[in-house]
Amino acid sequence: MDAGTESIAVLGVGRMGLPVSGRLADAGHRVIVFDVDPQRCDAAVRPGVRAAATVAEAVSASRLILTVLPGSRELVEAMTPDGDAMTAMRPGSTWIDLTSTAPSAARTLAAAATRRGTATLDAPMGGGPADAATGDLTLYVGGDAAVLQRWHPVLASVASTVHHVGPSGTGCLVKHLVNLLWFGQAALSAEAALLAAAAGIAPGHLLRLLDAGPAASRFLQRDFPRVLTGDLLPTFGLARIVEELESVAAEAGGPGSPSRVIDAVAEAYRHALRDLGPVDGELAIVAHLEALAGRRL
């Protein structure tokens, strides 16, 4: 092992944690994984990666702890101040959360870990499993810049772009804002296309017109064409989308941060969740709006 080798715990080896753990092992680090699903742990084991029997075993053996969990609820359950993971952290260790955590929860948990002598960063991921497998994730990092500098070489194993945003919780806030605009564009673009279709304008023709105008965007160029083929990107659940949008809405609405449009986007997705259930699909809102309109795009 070279001088840059670290002992790293990865808590959560699902669709994102599995490729993350593999990238870290490929970079020469000693990785120990834990997941509440033993089969996921078994699937993660490979040269450079071993499985721990308990979360405390994984954490206590590592200088760096990465959490890669589905959402805020799972993270809070795993990292409560009196839980096994938090108490097992060694003084002087670092915890980096790669989960798209609610900013309020990120701040609370970071403060609890800091009181126990653990440095923290929130670094939610932009990208999917394929990006994690190739090391092309984007990370939005909140926390001490010096801590980020210390661990940047490790993060570079999984991310081609690392943005330092500000203090604890701001990385999660920016990731949620990125998703807010993405989900908002999906809903508004679908409503616009359905309105145009009702007037006899073909969705593909409308897309070309919009893309040539001031509303042109990466979403219209890259992602909305998928809607027209029926691809609703089943890589993220509708319930998780609502969770993230409600987290953003909870941060907004106070002095200096109006939230009328944010609240409207969140409410649209809540209606979709009630109608469709917790289906997979980052663009599932389109199916909900199509059902309301009685036509397909």
Side-chain angles (χ1 to χ4, degrees):
M1 296 289 182
D2 62 39
T5 295
E6 298 289 352
S7 56
I8 303 172
V10 177
L11 308 184
V13 281
R15 56 183 290 270
M16 295 298 290
L18 179 62
V20 164
S21 64
R23 287 289 304 182
L24 294 170
D26 288 342
H29 301 295
R30 301 183 300 272
V31 181
I32 180 170
V33 300
F34 178 80
D35 195 288
V36 293
D37 183 347
Q39 291 184 335
R40 290 179 178 172
C41 284
D42 292 342
V45 172
R46 45 163 289 181
V49 181
R50 70 179 181 90
T54 65
V55 64
E57 177 191 344
V59 170
S60 63
S62 306
R63 296 181 60 206
L64 176 63
I65 300 97
L66 302 180
T67 43
V68 197
L69 298 173
S72 297
R73 176 174 52 83
E74 291 83 358
L75 181 74
V76 170
E77 290 175 355
M79 302 299 292
T80 51
D82 295 324
D84 288 344
M86 189 76 78
T87 57
M89 289 180 179
R90 302 185 314 200
S93 63
T94 299
W95 167 38
I96 302 179
D97 178 31
L98 303 183
T99 310
S100 292
T101 305
S104 59
R107 293 189 295 266
T108 298
L109 292 173
T114 299
R115 288 193 295 271
R116 293 174 178 269
T118 297
T120 69
L121 296 172
D122 52 283
M125 302 171 285
D131 302 299
T134 58
D136 289 322
L137 293 171
T138 295
L139 301 182
Y140 304 95
V141 183
D144 190 329
V147 178
L148 173 56
Q149 183 178 14
R150 164 69 181 88
W151 294 106
H152 190 281
V154 172
L155 296 178
S157 301
V158 299
S160 57
T161 306
V162 179
H163 299 291
H164 184 236
V165 178
S168 291
T170 58
C172 288
L173 177 60
V174 168
K175 172 61 191 305
H176 278 48
L177 293 177
V178 168
N179 284 356
L180 165 69
L181 295 185
W182 157 264
F183 299 137
Q185 285 183 82
L188 192 55
S189 298
E191 288 192 350
L194 288 166
L195 178 58
I201 303 170
H205 184 43
L206 175 69
L207 178 60
R208 290 188 292 273
L209 294 172
L210 294 176
D211 194 42
S217 68
R218 184 178 181 187
F219 177 83
L220 287 177
Q221 295 165 359
R222 186 193 67 179
D223 301 305
F224 198 69
R226 293 171 173 169
V227 170
L228 304 185
T229 67
D231 180 5
L232 300 184
L233 301 179
T235 56
F236 197 60
L238 186 53
R240 295 295 179 187
I241 294 173
V242 171
E243 176 185 310
E244 290 197 3
L245 291 173
E246 290 181 340
S247 295
V248 175
E251 292 288 310
S257 58
S259 61
R260 288 182 179 179
V261 178
I262 293 173
D263 293 339
V265 173
E267 183 63 13
Y269 277 85
R270 279 192 290 267
H271 280 294
L273 180 60
R274 285 193 290 269
D275 286 353
L276 300 178
V279 298
D280 289 333
E282 291 191 54
L283 300 175
I285 187 72
V286 176
H288 166 66
L289 294 171
E290 288 176 328
L292 291 178
R295 69 169 70 239
R296 295 288 301 277
L297 292 173

